[in-house]
Amino acid sequence: MAVAVDCRDVVKTFGTGDAAVKALRGVTLRAEAGEMTLLVGPSGCGKTTLITAIAGMLTPDSGAVSVFGTDIRTLSRGRLTAFRARSVGFVFQQFNLLPALTATENASIPLRVIGLPAREANRRAAALLDRLGLAAHRNRFPAELSGGQQQRVAIARALVHEPRLVVCDEPTASLDAASGRAAMELLRELAVRGDRAVIVVTHDDRIFSFADRIAHMADGRIEDIATQEAQAA
Amino acid sequence: MAVVALRMLFGDRAKYLGLVFGVAFATLLVTQQGGMFVGLMTRTASVIDDVREADIWVMDPQAQYIDTVRAMRDTELGRVRGVAGVAWAVPFYKASAPVKTLDGRIDNALLLGIDDATLIGLSRDIKLGRPEDLHRPDAIAIDEAGYLRLWPGEKLRLGRELELNDHRAVIVAITGASAAFTANIIIHAPYTRAIDYLPQGRDTLSFVLARAAPGQSPASVARAITVRTGLQALSSADFRWKTIDYYLAKTGIPISFGLVIVLGVVVGIAIVGLTFNMFVAENLRQYGALKAMGLSDLRLVGLVLLQGSVVGLMGFGIGLGLAACFFTFATQPPGALRGFSLPWWVAAGDAGLTALIVLLAMFASLRRVLVLDPAIVFR
């Protein structure tokens, strides 16, 4: 199985002197392609800092971060931006849908970012929304959708450009149990494929069953990584 | 992505309207005041502009502008006529005269004495009557706005009488003379009659109007007149600017209008800047999401600039339209603002100022977007 994400001895400190906060203290993590990896742990343990580094939005002080073989520390700012546009999909806790855009237009944004014409981007986004059961809500604005529907639009937006890595930050935190479960099922069904990987930061133990691997973090370190089988056992 | 930027902008209707209002308000203020200022300055030289036949003005060496009249001896006219390069020269009289209608209404008029024989100096715009009737006894021409000031709401009619410095005067022509800076009523009368209306000392000649012979430039002939006569001679264009320059330098008019224009710019920057900053602040997470999804800083700046440009164009269009309406409707004759207009270059200058307002207003917001950490979406 190919390695999707390979973090080695990643260190990140915010601030200096007495105010310095060591967010990551030498994190080593491997996430395999075709798997969903959950990052779990208490607040402030470094989960978000780690996925921010994996998504190429934060440069670690030391250590290596490789995503599908690309050492993102070696990429220039411009290449990193282009890398994110093509290779990474995002699902945010607060959805971050643009309120003035319809569901289709919101879902089409990553395609527009990589330069696809609006019409084609909308066509592809609409097709994906149909698959996600939102055919009747394509032209609705976020304010007209329920939380679960908004999250499905956000999932469509994360997947529409077929990225190899999908990064999710607390994707079920703003949803009720049923909607959260439905969102995770969709992520598993659409995003976890042979050459793709999903990394999810979560506190929600109700979704642990969707993971192939669960990495427990504490105090800026990975304490242990357990496979689903091991968890079940 | 342009559509996304515009939908973001139009989606926040309150702020969008606030932004457009800010730009429109600044544009209206700057354009209206700019146009008024230009109109006022043009009005200071309207007497010069209305004398189309002459291209040289000869006056006392101490005269600083059109309204500092120091009479010359009548013999100066002959001396000017004798200068090589002068095609012709005629006398011109300019004074202020009290006017009284038969029903007792009083006002002050600008009395212009024009050449008895040729009537050079008379406004070419004749609304009613015939110029040659000015040769009749007591005949004068009055401007339309002045007529309506003396007889408000009444139809233009020839043959009406009035008293000009207690002398009888009969209106035989009504002109469309340009509004003057110092008076609301403009009366033209033949030179010899005009000086009779306002008896003065021995010297009565306010100006000599002359024309350069064909092939000669007015400026060079004017210089020759000065050399030969010792009088001050200027081409019409030079005298016009000398008059405007005097008002620019010696009165508070430019400061007054300039302050309003500066205030318009400052208020525009403040309103647009604050509103745009609020707009960007409230959409910071959306910008952050776009940045996280791989939108480059350059394209993000492009989106913000597009939003600012649309606001600028809309606001400028509305402000300019309102200013144009003002200059169209409020300056109709015989109103006090008649003759004021909105020159294209004032509008063009205001377009530049509007662009400056929008750019300065957006500067802080642009910086905010540029330094925005895309990881904000994870917080």
Side-chain angles (χ1 to χ4, degrees):
Chain A
M1 198 173 282
V3 177
V5 175
D6 189 6
C7 301
R8 290 185 188 181
D9 296 323
V10 177
V11 173
K12 181 67 188 179
T13 303
F14 294 107
T16 55
D18 293 341
V21 176
K22 285 203 162 188
L24 300 177
R25 299 165 183 260
V27 171
T28 296
L29 171 75
R30 275 165 68 104
E32 306 290 338
E35 287 188 357
M36 178 181 280
T37 302
L38 262 56
L39 285 177
V40 301
S43 294
C45 70
K47 305 185 297 291
T48 300
T49 306
L50 182 58
I51 58 159
T52 307
I54 292 170
M57 290 190 279
L58 179 81
T59 307
D61 298 332
S62 64
V65 178
S66 168
V67 178
F68 287 102
T70 303
D71 182 355
I72 61 173
R73 287 194 69 197
T74 63
L75 297 179
S76 64
R77 193 182 161 103
R79 284 180 180 273
L80 200 54
T81 301
F83 169 80
R84 274 206 310 272
R86 294 198 174 272
S87 305
V88 186
F90 295 93
V91 179
F92 308 113
Q93 181 179 349
Q94 300 297 331
F95 317 139
N96 284 330
L97 300 175
L98 300 189
L101 302 188
T102 64
T104 304
E105 289 165 336
N106 263 295
S108 73
I109 286 176
L111 293 173
R112 296 183 192 219
V113 169
I114 59 175
L116 220 64
R119 181 173 296 192
E120 175 61 15
N122 281 342
R123 190 190 66 73
R124 288 197 202 177
L128 187 53
L129 287 174
D130 290 354
R131 284 185 67 190
L132 293 171
L134 290 171
H137 305 286
R138 276 194 221 153
N139 297 318
R140 295 206 177 158
F141 292 93
E144 299 167 341
L145 300 173
S146 69
Q149 288 166 336
Q150 287 187 51
Q151 190 60 302
R152 274 190 276 169
V153 175
I155 290 171
R157 185 180 62 185
L159 302 177
V160 72
H161 55 309
E162 301 184 348
R164 297 188 74 185
L165 176 66
V166 177
V167 174
C168 309
D169 182 35
E170 303 281 7
T172 58
S174 304
L175 303 176
D176 57 46
S179 298
R181 190 165 185 83
M184 291 307 293
E185 282 170 357
L186 282 170
L187 272 172
R188 262 221 83 87
E189 181 190 339
L190 297 172
V192 183
R193 304 251 184 98
D195 60 343
R196 298 183 192 173
V198 178
I199 295 183
V200 179
V201 166
T202 187
H203 280 103
D204 188 354
D205 55 11
R206 294 171 302 181
I207 65 169
F208 283 8
S209 58
F210 290 94
D212 297 296
R213 265 170 225 274
I214 299 176
H216 291 270
M217 288 189 74
D219 199 22
R221 293 190 179 87
I222 302 281
E223 289 207 319
D224 69 82
I225 302 175
T227 61
Q228 186 57 254
E229 294 77 23
Q231 287 275 115
Chain B
M1 291 303 291
V3 175
V4 173
L6 295 180
R7 296 286 292 277
M8 281 175 76
L9 178 66
F10 300 146
D12 192 343
R13 198 158 296 178
K15 286 197 189 56
Y16 171 62
L17 292 177
L19 286 165
V20 170
F21 169 79
V23 177
F25 174 76
T27 300
L28 174 62
L29 205 59
V30 171
T31 311
Q32 193 267 351
Q33 288 293 296
M36 290 293 289
F37 174 68
V38 170
L40 211 54
M41 288 299 101
T42 305
R43 191 174 270 198
T44 61
S46 63
V47 172
I48 304 167
D49 292 337
D50 270 7
V51 180
R52 310 263 176 86
E53 298 91 340
D55 53 18
I56 298 167
W57 286 67
V58 185
M59 65 209 87
D60 183 271
Q62 299 304 317
Q64 297 182 67
Y65 64 111
I66 184 78
D67 295 317
T68 48
V69 177
R70 186 175 171 203
M72 301 175 286
R73 287 174 299 172
D74 287 348
T75 52
E76 301 291 8
L77 176 61
R79 295 181 69 207
V80 172
R81 282 175 173 159
V83 175
V86 174
W88 50 254
V90 294
F92 191 72
Y93 178 76
K94 179 177 175 293
S96 179
V99 177
K100 183 179 173 188
T101 61
L102 297 184
D103 56 0
R105 188 183 293 268
I106 59 169
D107 212 318
N108 202 46
L110 177 65
L111 177 61
L112 301 174
I114 56 178
D115 184 44
D116 289 358
T118 61
L119 301 181
I120 285 174
L122 177 64
S123 169
R124 283 187 173 183
D125 183 7
I126 303 296
K127 303 283 185 190
L128 196 63
R130 298 182 309 161
E132 53 268 35
D133 287 343
L134 283 170
H135 296 299
R136 287 160 47 186
D138 300 329
I140 61 161
I142 189 170
D143 70 309
E144 182 184 14
Y147 181 100
L148 292 171
R149 191 175 171 86
L150 291 173
W151 295 286
E154 294 189 28
K155 201 175 171 186
L156 299 184
R157 182 161 58 85
L158 300 178
R160 292 193 94 145
E161 292 185 15
L162 50 79
E163 286 179 16
L164 200 52
N165 195 29
D166 294 332
H167 291 68
R168 178 179 178 265
V170 181
I171 297 170
V172 298
I174 295 173
T175 69
S178 303
F181 186 71
T182 52
N184 292 305
I185 300 168
I186 300 162
I187 290 174
H188 288 86
Y191 182 82
T192 50
R193 192 174 311 134
I195 59 176
D196 280 346
Y197 282 133
L198 293 167
Q200 297 173 28
R202 193 173 47 179
D203 302 333
T204 54
L205 186 62
S206 305
F207 298 95
V208 174
L209 305 179
R211 183 154 192 102
Q216 305 263 12
S217 82
S220 64
V221 174
R223 277 194 296 275
I225 292 171
T226 298
V227 170
R228 285 284 304 277
T229 65
L231 298 171
Q232 182 177 189
L234 297 167
S235 69
S236 295
D238 288 346
F239 189 35
R240 179 178 196 273
W241 277 112
K242 186 180 173 82
T243 295
I244 291 174
D245 284 347
Y246 177 87
Y247 280 96
L248 285 174
K250 299 288 174 62
T251 69
I253 295 170
I255 294 171
S256 173
F257 278 87
L259 266 178
V260 175
I261 290 171
V262 168
L263 276 178
V265 172
V266 170
V267 170
I269 291 172
I271 294 177
V272 179
L274 285 174
T275 313
F276 204 79
N277 210 33
M278 278 165 62
F279 173 78
V280 168
E282 285 181 16
N283 286 291
L284 220 48
R285 285 189 77 84
Q286 326 296 348
Y287 291 121
L290 291 172
K291 226 171 174 178
M293 285 187 274
L295 197 68
S296 66
D297 283 345
L298 196 64
R299 288 179 72 190
L300 203 56
V301 167
L303 295 191
V304 177
L305 283 176
L306 176 67
Q307 290 167 335
S309 303
V310 168
V311 164
L313 279 173
M314 291 293 294
F316 177 71
I318 292 171
L320 189 64
L322 290 173
C325 285
F326 170 81
F327 281 106
T328 302
F329 298 113
T331 61
Q332 292 291 322
L337 298 179
R338 70 186 187 282
F340 282 81
S341 63
L342 177 59
W344 69 266
W345 46 270
V346 169
D350 189 41
L353 265 182
T354 303
L356 185 72
I357 287 171
V358 172
L359 275 177
L360 287 176
M362 287 172 60
F363 184 74
S365 306
L366 270 176
R367 192 183 165 280
R368 214 166 169 176
V369 170
L370 270 176
V371 301
L372 175 66
D373 180 2
I376 186 176
V377 291
F378 288 133
R379 288 172 201 142

